[in-house]
Amino acid sequence: MEIKKQFFKQPVRLLAPMEGLTDPLMRQILTQIASDLGRPYDWSVSEFIRVTQTVLPAHVFYKYVPELHHDAKTASGTPIHVQLLGSEAQLMAENAAYACELGAPAIDINFGCPAKTVNNHRGGSVLLDEPEVIYEIISAVRQAVPTHIPVSAKIRLGYTDTSRMDDIRGAISDSGADWLTIHARTKTQGYKPPAYWDKIKAFNKLSIPVIANGEIWNAEQSQRCMVQSGTTHLMLGRGAVTRPDLIAQIDHGHQQNLGSNTTLLWEDLITHQIKFLEGQAKNDVVLVGRYKQWLGMLTKGYNEAQILWENVKREKNKATIIAALQSSTQL
Ligand SMILES: Cc1cc2nc3c(=O)[nH]c(=O)nc-3n(C[C@H](O)[C@H](O)[C@H](O)COP(=O)(O)O)c2cc1C
C-alpha cells in the first residue's frame, strides 16, 4: 500500500485538462515555456474524450491527442495522458484499452465535468452522487489496461454538496486507481473562488498520491494550497494560461535546476503568442478567436496584454494582430 504513496518521488506539477483551452496547440506552447524556464510539467492531461456508445475510432483519439503520433509527448517532451468521460464501465474499459494500444501512457477518468449535456447523460460530476458507479468504472478500466499503465481519476468534492465525500473516497480506495486529482469545489460551486483546499485533506488517508487543484494563480496561493490540502502535488489550470511561468514561480528556490530566471517577460511571451497564431486550426477565424480567448486571460497576468487587448479586440485579421503583437513591446 505504502509503495503507491511513494509513486511520485518528488512533488509533481501538472497542466490541467481544459476543453477548448488546453488543446494540443496550447499544450504545445505552455509545456515549451515551462521547459524553457527549467521546470517542465511532469505531464498534462488531454481534454476529455466522451465515450457514449462504441469504441471510438482511432482518428477520434488522434484528433484530441495528436501527441499519440509522437510517443504521446509534446515537442518539448511532456507526456500527455488520455482523459475519458462516460458512465458505462465496460465501454469505458474497452476505450481505455484501445487508447493504450494507440500509445496512451496513462488513462485519466473524468468525474468532474459540470456541463449539463454531459451530466444529463450520466457522465462527469453527476457520478459523484453514485460512488458505486465510480468504483465500477475505475476498476473495469484498471482491469482492462496493461498493469504498467497507470489509471487515475479526477473528481470534485461532490455534486451539490460534500456529503458523499467519504463514500467517494471509499469507492476510489477499492478501485485500484493509481492516483487521484481533486478540484477542490463541488459541481454547484462551478469555477467561482474560493477553492476549498482544506477539504482535500480527508482524501490523504488513501494509500495513493493525491493531487490538489483549483484556484492557484500565483506562488503564494500554491504554498497555501499545499499547506491546507496536506499534499505537495499540484495541477495548474487557468492560472497556468494566465501566467505561463506560474509553474517556475511555484518551484523557484525549491528546485536545483531552476536558476533565478523564472519570470517570463512579455517580450519573450510575444514569440510564443505568434507561434500560437501560426499554429494549426480549422481556419483563421477559429485561430483568432482562440487567440483572443488567451489574450483575454493574459490581461489578468500582464499589463502589456491589457493595452494590446484594447488595440486588437475587434480585429479579425490574423496578420494585423501579429503586427500589433510585434510592436507591443514599444507600447
Ligand atoms: C474551459 C475549461 C475547460 C475544462 N475542461 C476540463 C476537461 O476537459 N477535463 C477535466 O477534467 N477538467 C476540465 N476543466 C477543469 C480544470 O481541469 C480544473 O479542474 C479547473 O479549471 C480548476 O482549476 P483552476 O482553478 O486552476 O482553473 C476545465 C476547466 C475550464 C476552465
Side-chain angles (χ1 to χ4, degrees), residues 29 90-91 122 134 137 162-163 177 231 239-240 266 274-275 323:
I29 305 269
Q90 197 45 40
L91 202 53
R122 273 182 85 220
I134 293 183
I137 295 174
T162 58
S163 59
T231 176
W266 177 256
I274 293 173
K275 270 199 198 127

Side-chain angles (χ1 to χ4, degrees), residues 207-219:
S207 63
I208 53 173
V210 169
I211 299 162
N213 165 247
E215 220 57 38
I216 298 172
W217 300 88
N218 55 49

Side-chain angles (χ1 to χ4, degrees), residues 294-307:
W294 187 21
L295 182 60
M297 293 179 78
L298 289 173
T299 60
K300 290 199 206 142
Y302 289 86
N303 291 336
E304 294 93 332
Q306 289 171 10
I307 303 167

Side-chain angles (χ1 to χ4, degrees), residues 178-240:
D178 291 280
W179 60 82
L180 173 69
T181 305
I182 307 175
H183 174 188
R185 282 183 271 242
T186 64
K187 179 261 176 187
T188 308
Q189 287 159 348
Y191 294 100
K192 282 192 292 288
Y196 300 89
W197 299 317
D198 56 321
K199 294 270 184 203
I200 292 175
K201 246 187 184 142
F203 288 87
N204 289 334
K205 292 182 196 150
L206 289 169
S207 63
I208 53 173
V210 169
I211 299 162
N213 165 247
E215 220 57 38
I216 298 172
W217 300 88
N218 55 49
E220 189 266 327
Q221 284 171 333
S222 76
Q223 292 304 321
R224 271 198 288 131
C225 173
M226 286 190 271
V227 171
Q228 289 180 24
S229 66
T231 176
T232 55
H233 308 303
L234 302 175
M235 173 183 273
L236 308 177
R238 292 160 299 164

Side-chain angles (χ1 to χ4, degrees), residues 16-21 46-48 83 108 110 154 156 183 185 191 213-217 235-239 293:
M18 290 187 278
E19 191 212 2
L21 190 55
S46 76
E47 302 161 277
F48 69 79
Q83 188 182 70
D108 186 62
N110 179 320
K154 182 161 177 281
R156 286 176 177 249
H183 174 188
R185 282 183 271 242
Y191 294 100
N213 165 247
E215 220 57 38
I216 298 172
W217 300 88
M235 173 183 273
L236 308 177
R238 292 160 299 164
Q293 177 193 28

